[in-house]
Amino acid sequence: MGFAVGIAVLLLGVVLGWLIVAVGAAIAAIFAFLWIREVTSPVRTAEPPAVPEPVTRPAGPAPPAHKGREAMPEPGEGEIIRFPRSRFLEGATLGLGGVIGGIVTLPVAGFALLPAFTDQGVDDIDVGALDDFAENRFVITTFLLDPEQGEVSRRTAYVRNNGLLDGKPSFTILSSRCVHLGCPVQVNGLPIDEEEKKEMIGKTEVRRIPTAAAVGFGCPCHGGQYDAEGNRTAGPPVRALDRYGFKVKNGRLLLSKTYSVSKVEGKGSEAKIKKYELMGPGQHVDGPEALLYPIEPPGR
Ligand code: FES
């Protein structure tokens, strides 16, 4: 049992961190040593066999092994072969250990490995030409995450063109999902008197509304506030707003995988971002509290 627990802790450590791996390895090693010691103790503590009296052999050729006074009795017809109790206990212990190990290991392995396979099929989402995003303005951009599911999969991203960085386009693309409990955050700032632009791109209708001067974002549910880089400035959210990755292809902006952010230092194209795998609302991505949220199912 101790060995199985050690292996389970070691496997958990693969997800949680190397310190836990070391603790699990230590537990497994200690109990493996105790197990081997116990299993081999009858052999180690057994009395050395008594030296038999020298046998005076009768003269003449030796009799066959199954004949004579010293021969083993021949097994009778249909005699049952019996297994000692220790063999049963050994098999039961190994079987039980295997079952417990499987129960503990399969969920951990599933959570650790499945995202690598299930997160492959999300296509990049085209949200418009680069010219549709004026520099240094947030554009409220909505799109369908999965056209097959229809409007229920409509998402909102706040897209700001930061201009060029080292000759390449730079964008800040914030998710509208509040990282407290998931309400949609709204732009704080002056509205702009411009028409919403709609464009069919593939199977999805993309809508874009330019904003005048977004100074930040606010959540209508519990008053969470964020600055223009998505950093939390007030209220109950636990980290900065999640962001979309992006690519520029043939002069068009493509949104890619979302990721979580603990904090952003600097602004616009110069910003330094501490990125993490996408986590759910309310979940810490760094600090000691992050240990409470080791695994997050795939999604975005
Ligand atoms: S859901 Fe946004 S502050 Fe609570």
Side-chain angles (χ1 to χ4, degrees):
M1 288 293 288
F3 180 68
V5 168
I7 295 294
V9 173
L10 188 149
L11 290 169
L12 270 176
V14 172
V15 177
L16 299 179
W18 291 112
L19 184 62
I20 311 288
V21 169
V23 171
I27 294 172
I30 289 168
F31 280 97
F33 170 74
L34 293 175
W35 192 6
I36 291 168
R37 200 160 162 267
E38 188 186 324
V39 167
T40 58
S41 72
V43 178
R44 289 183 291 103
T45 57
E47 293 284 327
V51 180
E53 293 287 321
V55 178
T56 312
R57 297 188 178 281
H66 63 290
K67 302 271 187 206
R69 191 165 52 86
E70 288 83 9
M72 289 286 288
E74 301 266 352
E77 189 88 12
E79 187 171 353
I80 299 167
I81 300 170
R82 296 180 187 282
F83 290 93
R85 195 175 55 166
S86 62
R87 289 273 297 277
F88 167 75
L89 289 175
E90 185 184 343
T93 307
L94 287 174
L96 192 62
V99 170
I100 292 172
I103 289 170
V104 173
T105 308
L106 281 178
V108 174
F111 276 120
L113 299 178
L114 274 182
F117 298 98
T118 55
D119 216 17
Q120 299 284 313
V122 180
D123 293 330
D124 294 330
I125 296 167
D126 186 333
V127 289
L130 294 188
D131 293 344
D132 293 320
F133 300 92
E135 277 189 35
N136 298 319
R137 263 193 194 180
F138 273 105
V139 177
I140 305 167
T141 308
T142 75
F143 54 90
L144 298 186
L145 193 61
D146 181 356
E148 301 299 326
Q149 292 182 19
E151 285 296 317
V152 75
S153 73
R154 187 165 286 281
R155 299 286 185 274
T156 301
Y158 297 115
V159 182
R160 186 183 62 202
N161 183 348
N162 298 321
L164 296 178
L165 176 68
D166 299 331
K168 292 182 186 159
S170 163
F171 283 87
T172 295
I173 306 176
L174 303 175
S175 165
S176 70
R177 184 181 71 162
C178 180
V179 291
H180 175 220
L181 292 177
C183 288
V185 299
Q186 312 290 320
V187 172
N188 291 340
L190 298 172
I192 188 168
D193 193 17
E194 258 189 55
E195 284 283 298
E196 177 183 64
K197 291 184 185 137
K198 298 181 180 176
E199 180 183 2
M200 275 308 290
I201 304 176
K203 291 184 186 167
T204 182
E205 183 183 70
V206 174
R207 301 172 193 158
R208 294 182 296 268
I209 309 173
T211 63
V215 293
F217 303 88
C219 180
C221 289
H222 313 104
Q225 297 293 316
Y226 305 88
D227 67 16
E229 300 304 317
N231 280 320
R232 169 194 172 270
T233 54
V238 297
R239 58 177 201 256
L241 287 172
D242 297 330
R243 290 189 176 213
Y244 287 87
F246 71 92
K247 292 175 193 161
V248 174
K249 208 169 171 184
N250 301 326
R252 299 193 65 88
L253 178 64
L254 309 183
L255 302 195
S256 52
K257 207 173 161 189
T258 24
Y259 55 90
S260 288
V261 175
S262 69
K263 196 173 169 202
V264 179
E265 283 163 13
K267 291 184 176 175
S269 59
E270 305 290 337
K272 293 196 172 35
I273 301 162
K274 292 187 182 161
K275 293 184 183 181
Y276 295 85
E277 280 290 312
L278 183 65
M279 299 292 276
Q283 300 184 340
H284 294 258
V285 292
D286 60 0
E289 300 96 333
L291 291 172
L292 299 171
Y293 309 98
I295 298 164
E296 175 66 8
R300 66 177 189 165

